[in-house]
Amino acid sequence: MSVKAKKHLGQHFLKDENIAKKIADTLSLKGYDDVLEIGPGMGVLTKYLLEKETTTHVVEIDTESVEYLKNNYLHLANRIYEKDFLRYDLNLVFKGKPFAIIGNFPYNISSQIVFKTLEMREQIPEFSGMFQKEVALRICSKEGSKVYGILSVLTQAFYDAEYLFTVPPSVFNPPPKVDSGVLLLKRKENFSLPCDEKLFFRVVKTGFQQRRKTLRNSLKIFNLSDNLKANTIFGQRPEQLSVAQFIELTTLIENNVK
């Protein structure tokens, strides 16, 4: 029995064993005892994770895949969660303990997976996985790049992001229309920001919503004082600012409000 890939779930099953092993080996396995794989499908990556000293858990929304995994990975059976990762409360599984995330992520929810990881960053020291190549590059890109945006800044505020390698469409069933890219996120040693974190998220998202405008124009919603708007940082466009400068910008706005 094999599982049929479902278009509405964005499934593209990896069939290359070497690449599966290579992805499994990207995690350092330091600082946590548990690894959560998202969307294991027929377990091509799972089998290599199960060889590690950490405990592997999988979350899978596709009933057919869950059935396949239960039949073929018997010792994994009680750690298969038939849930939607984006809506599932992972503390029911991990009880506040740290864990790593890994997977060949469905393209249609890959950005949302990163945002949920950022929400749970206190518990997730490491994250590795396969995305559509352009999304992986965007997450890892630096200021000044055309693809640098909300996802880049918010991720890199808390994690060091490294683009590892490109994967061609031919190693999937069915093959996607684009290349894929594998990246690794390692949480920074000091991952709390020296500014209001909620405000930081708002400033970054608001700035990039009108990325062609200068920050002086795109951040009007924050009722900036004339004195503050005179600061040269507001004459720049969002993609010109590094993560550190966005933190500085948030601090300026925070102090302006008081």
Side-chain angles (χ1 to χ4, degrees), residues 56-247:
T56 300
H57 306 253
V58 301
V59 57
E60 175 59 76
I61 199 170
D62 178 27
T63 312
E64 203 184 350
S65 292
V66 168
E67 199 60 36
Y68 180 91
L69 293 166
K70 283 182 175 171
N71 290 331
N72 290 276
Y73 295 90
L74 301 178
H75 53 311
L76 183 67
N78 63 347
R79 297 192 307 281
I80 300 169
Y81 313 111
E82 191 177 342
K83 301 285 181 186
D84 176 350
F85 168 77
L86 297 175
R87 292 190 174 87
Y88 188 40
D89 179 2
L90 293 169
N91 278 317
L92 296 171
V93 177
F94 298 110
K95 320 284 189 213
K97 288 194 306 175
F99 62 97
I101 283 180
I102 196 167
N104 168 25
F105 306 125
Y107 287 168
N108 53 355
I109 60 160
S110 60
S111 297
Q112 291 152 279
I113 288 171
V114 175
F115 284 125
K116 179 159 179 177
T117 298
L118 294 180
E119 282 170 24
M120 298 191 71
R121 57 190 176 272
E122 303 270 338
Q123 274 176 266
I124 304 173
E126 213 166 30
F127 174 107
S128 168
M130 184 142 52
F131 292 79
Q132 190 171 331
K133 182 182 179 182
E134 65 173 79
V135 178
L137 286 172
R138 186 181 307 143
I139 292 168
C140 301
S141 69
K142 296 294 182 195
E143 69 274 12
S145 157
K146 279 192 178 126
V147 296
Y148 182 71
I150 294 170
L151 210 49
S152 331
V153 177
L154 297 183
T155 304
Q156 292 174 46
F158 306 103
Y159 290 86
D160 292 319
E162 184 185 357
Y163 185 91
L164 299 178
F165 55 91
T166 300
V167 181
S170 56
V171 301
F172 295 95
N173 183 24
K177 291 186 169 67
V178 291
D179 281 344
S180 301
V182 175
L183 61 74
L184 175 65
L185 304 180
K186 280 183 177 285
R187 193 177 60 200
K188 295 183 174 182
E189 272 187 42
N190 180 6
F191 61 95
S192 60
L193 302 184
C195 64
D196 181 318
E197 292 187 357
K198 276 189 178 165
L199 182 61
F200 175 77
F201 274 72
R202 271 186 69 208
V203 168
V204 173
K205 287 177 177 176
T206 308
F208 278 106
Q209 272 161 7
Q210 298 175 301
R211 62 182 298 144
R212 292 182 181 280
K213 291 189 174 179
T214 63
L215 293 161
R216 195 171 287 123
N217 290 317
S218 61
L219 299 180
K220 278 180 177 166
I221 189 172
F222 293 100
N223 297 322
L224 310 170
S225 66
D226 290 340
N227 190 30
L228 186 60
K229 279 190 287 193
N231 189 309
T232 53
I233 200 167
F234 288 94
Q236 302 205 68
R237 292 194 306 280
E239 72 265 20
Q240 295 174 287
L241 265 59
S242 65
V243 172
Q245 286 173 304
F246 266 109
I247 291 169

